[in-house]
Amino acid sequence: MAAVIRAFRSSSSSTLTNYFIRMSLSTAASSSAAPLKSESFSPFIDNKDKNVQWVFLGCPGVGKGTFASRLSAQLGVPHIATGDLLTEIVNQGKLVSDEIIISLLSKRLETGEAKGESGFILDGFPRTVRQAEILDDVTDIDLVVNLKLPEKVLVEKCLGRRICSQCGKNFNVANINVKGENGNPDISMDPLLPPPQCVSKLITRSDDTEAIVSERLRVYYEKSQPVEDFYRSQGKLMEFNLPGGLQESWPKLLEALNLDENEDKQSAAV
């Protein structure tokens, strides 16, 4: 992987520009694909060799960061959130192109490999088919986990988010109980309430309004859902319908990833 990344990053400016021009002219997956059905996927994971190279997909607010972070600790690999890589650039008010994102990501992967990191879990990238195609030329993705929740639950969850203005921790005041439809099970999520010292200091993100949340979901469905087709065609996509909050979903996700046995062994050792 390092050799591929070094070759990519050592390209001249004109070569790199021509590469992205070719990518932009390539045929992307159609955004008007038919509704997708959930498919089972059973990845083989050798816990002695944790060189996983995974991507987490999912709508805004579904919990990609939470589950990716927990799995990174479980497997001993870094959780790389592209939003964190881009913070400085965004704060400077600069436009973030695919070229900038892939350059930062390539540098991060190469640096990590030089430090002995054995894999990674990506969160927040790729968001388009074009980005997925570029990523394929930079590194090999083993598995793509697509976290799913009904839109009604996602909206309620996003509207319930709160941040403590003093300590910066995230909480959620939403008490979600949504009755399942079309044969789907009910979904319940308990609120993640703050400690007493944070209650009076809670604030709501300015973009956590129903109109903005709904628009973010619309944009996601339009631009990012074709990425699911891209990875499904490669046989790498695992769709995971969250059954509830973290307490209910975490053991089920471990089971789906064939990691539940390893979790039991770790618990017994402690």
Side-chain angles (χ1 to χ4, degrees), residues 3-253:
V4 176
I5 295 173
R6 283 195 293 272
F8 181 87
R9 294 181 59 224
S10 63
S11 300
S12 65
S13 298
S14 60
T15 301
L16 187 61
T17 300
N18 289 335
Y19 171 80
F20 280 101
I21 290 175
R22 290 198 303 272
M23 290 302 302
S24 65
L25 293 177
S26 65
T27 304
S30 172
S31 60
S32 59
L36 305 177
K37 296 182 179 180
S38 178
E39 298 176 358
S40 60
F41 187 96
S42 298
F44 173 77
I45 301 170
D46 185 348
N47 293 319
K48 296 179 181 178
D49 180 11
K50 300 176 183 177
N51 188 27
V52 300
Q53 297 183 175
W54 293 354
V55 166
F56 266 65
L57 298 180
C59 292
V62 76
K64 295 186 296 294
T66 298
F67 289 102
S69 178
R70 278 191 160 228
L71 279 170
S72 74
Q74 169 94 358
L75 296 171
V77 297
H79 167 212
I80 303 175
T82 52
D84 294 339
L85 296 177
L86 300 173
T87 297
E88 183 177 348
I89 293 175
V90 172
N91 288 342
Q92 294 173 356
K94 297 180 180 178
L95 294 176
V96 182
S97 64
D98 288 344
E99 292 88 339
I100 291 175
I101 297 174
I102 206 69
S103 176
L104 290 172
L105 181 57
S106 297
K107 182 177 180 180
R108 172 63 184 83
L109 295 179
E110 184 178 335
T111 300
E113 187 165 340
K115 292 179 179 179
E117 292 178 352
S118 58
F120 55 81
I121 297 178
L122 285 183
D123 163 21
F125 187 88
R127 297 189 178 186
T128 66
V129 170
R130 179 171 178 260
Q131 291 177 353
E133 291 171 338
I134 296 172
L135 183 61
D136 263 5
D137 283 336
V138 175
T139 188
D140 294 322
I141 298 300
D142 305 321
L143 173 68
V144 179
V145 181
N146 184 32
L147 301 179
K148 304 181 77 173
L149 276 173
E151 184 169 338
K152 182 177 180 180
V153 175
L154 286 167
V155 172
E156 283 193 46
K157 190 178 177 189
C158 288
L159 295 182
R161 292 191 294 199
R162 299 291 186 273
I163 303 172
C164 177
S165 59
Q166 182 172 334
C167 70
K169 291 184 178 179
N170 294 290
F171 304 98
N172 200 302
V173 299
N175 189 5
I176 299 173
N177 288 285
V178 175
K179 188 172 181 58
E181 298 177 350
N182 300 322
N184 294 317
D186 298 347
I187 295 179
S188 297
M189 293 187 180
D190 295 330
L192 178 60
L193 298 176
Q197 65 269 24
C198 295
V199 172
S200 63
K201 303 176 182 66
L202 294 184
I203 58 175
T204 303
R205 284 174 33 170
S206 60
D207 59 346
D208 275 346
T209 66
E210 187 167 357
I212 293 177
V213 170
S214 297
E215 176 62 13
R216 286 207 304 264
L217 292 175
R218 185 195 67 78
V219 171
Y220 175 83
Y221 292 136
E222 178 181 319
K223 293 186 177 181
S224 294
Q225 277 200 324
V227 178
E228 299 173 18
D229 275 337
F230 179 84
Y231 285 116
R232 181 180 285 104
S233 69
Q234 296 182 355
K236 297 178 179 180
L237 186 73
M238 184 190 86
E239 299 197 77
F240 183 76
N241 291 288
L242 294 167
L246 182 61
Q247 184 175 358
E248 297 85 7
S249 299
W250 176 245
K252 294 293 185 182
L253 180 59

